[in-house]
Amino acid sequence: KNQVEQSPQSLIILEGKNCTLQCNYTVSPFSNLRWYKQDTGRGPVSLTIMTFSENTKSNGRYTATLDADTKQSSLHITASQLSDSASYICVVSDRGSTLGRLYFGRGTQLTVWP
Amino acid sequence: EADIYQTPRYLVIGTGKKITLECSQTMGHDKMYWYQQDPGMELHLIHYSYGVNSTEKGDLSSESTVSRIRTEHFPLTLESARPSHTSQYLCASSESEGGSYNEQFFGPGTRLTVL
């Protein structure tokens, strides 16, 4: 069964600190993996996308890594800011359909305290 | 910010009412999607469309229906709302070429509460 598991479920850090969020998946055949940021009451917004051949991708203070062999990804946030408080969702796509089937994790709820 | 809009943002209605959730995008995308999201849970695809006059059911069974008469418009209708329909509904769109590599752009969502 294709699944996406994220950890931790929630995380509280102080402003300025770094943190790392984890994503494990069983989706096959693998196409790509995205990290989305979802602010409360808003729709998700894409942060990064990685395909099978990519190991790391950065977007400002966000750095995503992918290990396609172990089917694991991480999202590292550097020098956190209050505006980073949001849910971070790992989304994996397969190659099995023209639609491009997406499998969503439940997200990690990050809270940044001043 | 993505040019995809949803109205209303919040809706509280009584059981048995008919409702339509509106979704519009100005990006000219052929593919559009409706997702359902409960607090702390993953998004579930309930409907999608490849283009005008194309509608398909998603993975999560839903009593709602959709229509795609115009490229930019993808409304979702519940003929008779029930408390079990209480949820957040997210609309999204993407380009056709590139398959799953294309980013899905999401609207802000409609939070529906059925009393």
Side-chain angles (χ1 to χ4, degrees), chain A residues 63-78:
Chain A
T63 300
T65 65
L66 174 66
D67 185 334
D69 292 330
T70 62
K71 298 187 177 180
Q72 295 179 325
S73 176
S74 66
L75 180 69
H76 186 74
I77 304 175
T78 303

Side-chain angles (χ1 to χ4, degrees), chain A residues 31-32 34 36 38 41-46 49 51 54 57 89 93-94 98-102 104-106, chain B residues 1 9 31 33 35 37 40-43 45 48 50 59 88 90 99-104 106-109:
Chain A
S31 175
N32 60 76
R34 282 188 188 274
Y36 277 89
Q38 184 176 21
R42 307 293 298 180
V45 175
S46 178
I49 179 172
T51 59
E54 295 175 295
K57 185 73 70 76
I89 303 172
S93 180
D94 70 11
T98 56
L99 178 66
R101 179 74 170 81
L102 298 185
F104 291 82
R106 294 185 176 185
Chain B
E1 193 159 318
R9 292 294 313 279
K31 291 183 178 177
Y33 317 79
Y35 291 91
Q37 184 183 32
M41 302 296 287
E42 63 267 47
L43 276 71
L45 181 67
Y48 61 94
Y50 286 110
D59 306 310
Q88 166 136 314
L90 289 162
S100 66
Y101 190 83
N102 290 331
E103 178 180 353
Q104 289 190 19
F106 287 84

Side-chain angles (χ1 to χ4, degrees), chain A:
Chain A
K1 179 182 178 183
N2 289 321
Q3 285 186 310
V4 178
E5 302 287 342
Q6 291 188 242
S7 63
Q9 183 176 345
S10 62
L11 181 64
I12 299 174
I13 62 174
L14 294 177
E15 187 178 14
K17 298 297 186 182
N18 304 334
C19 67
T20 300
L21 314 180
Q22 301 290 344
C23 173
N24 296 336
Y25 63 92
T26 60
V27 177
S28 180
F30 174 85
S31 175
N32 60 76
L33 184 148
R34 282 188 188 274
W35 282 93
Y36 277 89
K37 178 186 179 187
Q38 184 176 21
D39 293 313
T40 301
R42 307 293 298 180
V45 175
S46 178
L47 294 173
T48 62
I49 179 172
M50 288 179 292
T51 59
F52 185 88
S53 59
E54 295 175 295
N55 299 117
T56 186
K57 185 73 70 76
S58 291
N59 178 2
R61 295 179 296 103
Y62 301 103
T63 300
T65 65
L66 174 66
D67 185 334
D69 292 330
T70 62
K71 298 187 177 180
Q72 295 179 325
S73 176
S74 66
L75 180 69
H76 186 74
I77 304 175
T78 303
S80 61
Q81 300 176 359
L82 299 179
S83 59
D84 292 332
S85 294
S87 178
Y88 292 84
I89 303 172
C90 177
V91 184
V92 182
S93 180
D94 70 11
R95 289 187 282 112
S97 68
T98 56
L99 178 66
R101 179 74 170 81
L102 298 185
Y103 298 87
F104 291 82
R106 294 185 176 185
T108 292
Q109 184 65 46
L110 175 66
T111 302
V112 180
W113 282 3

